[in-house]
Amino acid sequence: MSLKKPEDVFASLTYATDDTEFFTPMPAGYVKGKTKYLVVFGTVMSGLGKGIFSSSLAKIMQDKGLRVAPIKLEGYLNHDSGTLNPYRHGEVFVLDDGLECDMDLGTYERMLNQDLSRLNFTTSGQIFSSVLEKERQGRYLGRDVQMIPHVTGEVKLRLRELAVATEADIVFVEIGGTVGDVENAYFIEAIREMSYEEGPKTFCFVALTYIVEPKILGEQKSKPAQLNLKLLNAAGIHPDIIACRASSPVAKKVREKIALFSSVPMERIFSMHDCDSVYVIPEMLRGAGIDTAVLDLIDLADRADDEAEEVAKTLWNSYIHAFRTAEHAITIGIIGKYTTVRDSYASIIQSLEHAGAHLDAKVQIEWVDSTDLMDENVAERLAGLHGVIVPGGFGFRGVDGKIACIKHVRENGIPYLGLCYGMQIAVIEFARHVCGLKHAGSTEIEPDCPDPVIDMLPEQKKIEGLGGTMRLGGFDVAITPGSQVSVLFGGAQRIRLRFRHRYEVHPDYIQILEDKGMVFSGRSPDYPIMQVLELPRTVHPFFMATQAHPELTGRPLRPQPMFLGLVSAALTRSGVTPKTIPGLDGSETDSTASAAAANSPAT
Ligand code: GLN
């Protein structure tokens, strides 16, 4: 998608005057009627997979050749998701432009195979900051600044800015939280106002609801859904479509009840029950006819391209087929401290699924709590694993367990992929046990550490205290020709990965580590920042780690090459000869092309 610079978008805004009660700041270049809007509201409870639903719906509309632009509106007052605990909120996703945001944006990027930007994510913190800043600039022309129309006006402005910047046919608005929450009430009000301003056939309202099935009754009940849908009516929104989340397909009788109580026609009440992969949901929605209902409701049938849809469907279905029919099974251990909350590692789980499907493998995940691991039990705890990932993390909890784990996999030839913290700890382990630096460590864990092999970034030290202490977003990585990572990326000499870190390999120790056999095969082209490390194949079948978060850029149709490398090595360990991938054996095959494509800029 072609993004205009924010300055161009914000250029000419109209502000409130004393002559009218209407307040609708319009971004420059906004053409009324060009962009349609589809809004997804959650009812009953959170955690229903609103992002998965909304992105699946966006995908099936994109398949028709329509230009789609998602936006998530978060009710919380944080400016972004950077300070949120993944244990409570799920993984913090990072966009190429450096925005730290909700994990749903990861789902959108994967479903749509499209890079998103900060225009696709807004929080109440951003909305209020912007309103308060404008108030100080005197831009409300003597008016008292109110929730309606000024704060709601800011929300409408964001949606229209996205429409202008992306030239979207449909903007998909996902409202965070549940209808009835105080936090998101003004978002819903903004939507109501905007649908009135834009006129008929421009907005499609979709309510996601939940059908309970208490074990004690053994049947599906629709009452919570009915009551919560009434809350949406009370906010002035009448849904056009209702999607019913449930563990098993929603019975016709239950849908009839919902139709009766909500005045939504039966053919627009859909079941969205649990399934084996999130990537199956687009097909489930298409099969239920939601796409044609949407085209009809917002009058877009004449922009839909049937041929494009056939091509997109075939491609997507080939992925689903590969995932479903995968012949081999491997088990990868994820060693972390939040292993009880799967959402904290959502992108890693997805990236393993993508790589597995491309290599004919079902990847089972075994969660290993690093706080329990030590030299004495590590062999037993990791027994049976075909590969190990140490993911990103912060702080000291569980670090000793991770060191014990990495020592074990390094010494025993177990395939290893280290992600961010997983690279830093691999360096500490290697420094301690191979380079003989017994007190090697990270200043994040031990500020006075005698051998700080991992330390704060030199450039970050300068700006610390100013708030911008994390290295965030997409950066180029210069790849050493002939290295394993270079082969995995189809011979590319420059790749782009996403980062979120504050510490890095201390430049003073690079030579010492390299002298003992650690290979830094990916480096920042601009600073002495080590971004990928590996051990030669002569000493280990697959030992790779990166300062980046490669899991953030894995896509079903574009599996992340480092994950392909891990899964391939894990297959070998399980006794199966893997399909050749950009090969650790250097051969060129079809899948070389797919890995090389993984490095090409997103479409
Ligand atoms: N805590 C480490 C750092 O700040 C690693 C961060 C991460 O894994 N995302 O550098």
Side-chain angles (χ1 to χ4, degrees):
M1 91 172 65
S2 69
L3 283 179
K4 298 209 171 91
K5 287 203 289 319
E7 306 85 88
D8 299 336
V9 178
F10 302 141
S12 70
L13 300 177
T14 50
Y15 283 92
T17 73
D18 229 6
D19 305 335
T20 175
E21 287 309 309
F22 289 112
F23 173 75
T24 297
M26 286 284 177
Y30 187 71
V31 182
K32 199 169 153 184
K34 180 179 183 315
T35 299
K36 312 284 181 149
Y37 299 83
L38 186 145
V39 189
V40 179
F41 306 89
T43 66
V44 183
M45 64 183 197
S46 62
L48 295 181
K50 215 178 326 129
I52 293 170
F53 171 76
S54 180
S55 56
S56 301
L57 196 46
K59 184 194 161 30
I60 59 175
M61 303 317 285
Q62 183 198 46
D63 286 350
K64 295 179 186 300
L66 297 171
R67 198 181 271 260
V68 298
I71 180 166
K72 171 119 197 224
L73 304 178
E74 286 284 14
Y76 49 70
L77 290 168
N78 309 58
H79 205 77
D80 55 37
S81 313
T83 53
L84 300 185
N85 180 349
Y87 193 74
R88 286 177 66 101
H89 297 273
E91 124 194 304
V92 177
F93 198 78
V94 183
L95 301 180
D96 190 77
D97 66 9
L99 182 79
E100 295 171 289
C101 56
D102 183 77
M103 57 186 280
D104 278 350
L105 271 82
T107 313
Y108 286 110
E109 285 203 343
R110 288 186 282 267
M111 283 285 186
L112 301 174
N113 200 13
Q114 180 175 303
D115 273 5
L116 300 177
S117 80
R118 50 190 69 233
L119 289 176
N120 301 97
F121 183 69
T122 290
T123 66
S124 289
Q126 292 178 27
I127 298 284
F128 289 130
S129 301
S130 173
V131 169
L132 294 175
E133 206 174 297
K134 286 174 183 165
E135 187 278 328
R136 288 293 80 190
Q137 293 166 354
R139 292 168 82 176
Y140 294 107
L141 307 176
R143 294 281 298 252
D144 50 334
V145 181
Q146 295 184 296
M147 290 298 287
I148 305 170
H150 302 104
V151 175
T152 51
E154 187 69 26
V155 177
K156 294 183 280 182
L157 177 62
R158 300 274 167 133
L159 303 186
R160 290 183 171 119
E161 279 166 358
L162 180 63
V164 173
T166 58
E167 296 172 3
D169 292 300
I170 315 179
V171 163
F172 280 78
V173 186
E174 179 192 341
I175 303 201
T178 308
V179 178
D181 293 346
V182 170
E183 284 83 359
N184 61 24
Y186 76 99
F187 286 138
I188 300 175
E189 167 60 16
I191 296 294
R192 187 198 62 74
E193 291 171 22
M194 191 167 154
S195 69
Y196 160 72
E197 290 164 5
E198 294 281 321
K201 294 235 165 200
T202 52
F203 268 71
C204 175
F205 298 132
V206 185
L208 189 63
T209 195
Y210 186 56
I211 305 300
V212 292
E213 194 167 354
K215 257 207 185 105
I216 192 165
L217 299 179
E219 61 169 329
Q220 293 179 324
K221 301 296 264 180
S222 63
K223 185 72 79 187
Q226 289 172 35
L227 294 176
N228 278 269
L229 288 164
K230 282 200 198 314
L231 282 177
L232 196 53
N233 289 155
I237 304 274
H238 185 263
D240 298 299
I241 293 175
I242 297 177
C244 304
R245 281 286 292 119
S247 38
S248 43
V250 179
K252 182 161 168 276
K253 270 192 175 280
V254 174
R255 286 186 289 122
E256 281 171 355
K257 240 186 191 161
I258 291 182
L260 181 65
F261 281 90
S262 64
S263 318
V264 173
M266 261 304 267
E267 63 275 14
R268 289 203 236 117
I269 300 186
F270 299 97
S271 168
M272 189 188 151
H273 41 275
D274 293 351
C275 46
D276 55 351
S277 161
V278 296
Y279 303 116
V280 175
I281 296 172
E283 210 46 68
M284 185 195 264
L285 300 183
R286 191 163 16 224
I290 299 197
D291 52 345
T292 37
V294 171
L295 285 182
D296 187 36
L297 285 160
I298 48 178
D299 210 8
L300 274 184
D302 59 340
R303 294 193 213 170
D305 177 343
D306 293 345
E307 271 171 44
E309 184 174 28
E310 278 315 307
V311 175
K313 259 164 65 173
T314 309
L315 203 58
W316 196 254
N317 287 340
S318 66
Y319 174 81
I320 306 285
H321 180 76
F323 165 76
R324 288 235 164 107
T325 56
E327 200 182 324
H328 312 295
I330 50 163
T331 306
I332 302 286
I334 299 184
I335 322 293
K337 66 177 180 184
Y338 296 133
T339 49
T340 49
V341 182
R342 305 291 182 259
D343 274 0
S344 336
Y345 300 110
S347 292
I348 299 178
I349 300 172
Q350 295 297 319
S351 292
L352 284 171
E353 182 189 309
H354 311 152
H358 282 260
L359 290 171
D360 212 6
K362 271 246 170 324
V363 182
Q364 275 137 21
I365 294 175
E366 198 163 308
W367 301 94
V368 182
D369 186 346
S370 51
T371 46
D372 300 343
L373 275 185
M374 53 195 87
D375 286 334
E376 291 69 35
N377 65 10
V378 68
E380 179 208 329
R381 296 294 310 278
L382 303 188
L385 298 181
H386 303 112
V388 162
I389 289 178
V390 172
F394 293 83
F396 61 85
R397 221 184 111 216
V399 165
D400 290 341
K402 290 178 187 171
I403 293 177
C405 162
I406 296 173
K407 180 168 187 285
H408 180 75
V409 300
R410 182 179 56 74
E411 290 177 345
N412 291 281
I414 301 172
Y416 175 69
L417 181 61
L419 310 172
C420 202
Y421 214 19
M423 162 161 160
Q424 297 177 356
I425 298 174
V427 169
I428 296 172
E429 189 280 317
F430 194 84
R432 284 190 190 172
H433 304 125
V434 180
C435 304
L437 302 171
K438 280 201 184 58
H439 301 291
S442 163
T443 49
E444 175 177 1
I445 306 160
E446 194 190 346
D448 299 324
C449 163
D451 273 311
V453 289
I454 303 296
D455 197 5
M456 181 94 68
L457 304 170
E459 64 212 92
Q460 302 292 23
K461 274 187 180 161
K462 285 184 226 140
I463 53 170
E464 194 170 20
L466 299 179
T469 58
M470 280 264 220
R471 183 160 177 267
L472 285 169
F475 291 94
D476 284 354
V477 180
I479 295 293
T480 309
S483 60
Q484 291 175 70
V485 67
S486 141
V487 180
L488 279 176
F489 278 86
Q493 296 194 3
R494 227 179 231 229
I495 61 171
R496 193 165 174 87
L497 294 170
R498 290 194 198 164
F499 293 80
R500 180 174 187 247
H501 67 120
R502 193 173 277 122
Y503 295 83
E504 58 159 22
V505 180
H506 194 310
D508 291 354
Y509 292 91
I510 293 169
Q511 196 60 53
I512 300 171
L513 293 158
E514 286 194 322
D515 286 348
K516 291 288 181 186
M518 182 163 270
V519 177
F520 290 106
S521 50
R523 298 164 186 239
S524 157
D526 309 310
Y527 301 99
I529 302 178
M530 300 302 105
Q531 307 197 124
V532 183
L533 68 77
E534 56 192 67
L535 292 181
R537 291 207 76 205
T538 44
V539 299
H540 198 286
F542 185 82
F543 191 99
M544 187 172 285
T546 170
Q547 190 56 79
H549 286 279
E551 71 275 18
L552 301 180
T553 42
R555 310 250 168 104
L557 302 180
R558 211 184 65 173
Q560 210 286 334
M562 293 176 179
F563 281 82
L564 284 174
L566 175 74
V567 171
S568 170
L571 276 166
T572 307
R573 187 171 172 84
S574 76
V576 170
T577 309
K579 275 206 248 176
T580 316
I581 59 157
L584 296 177
D585 62 356
S587 57
E588 294 280 316
T589 64
D590 285 344
S591 36
T592 308
S594 77
N599 186 40
S600 64
T603 44

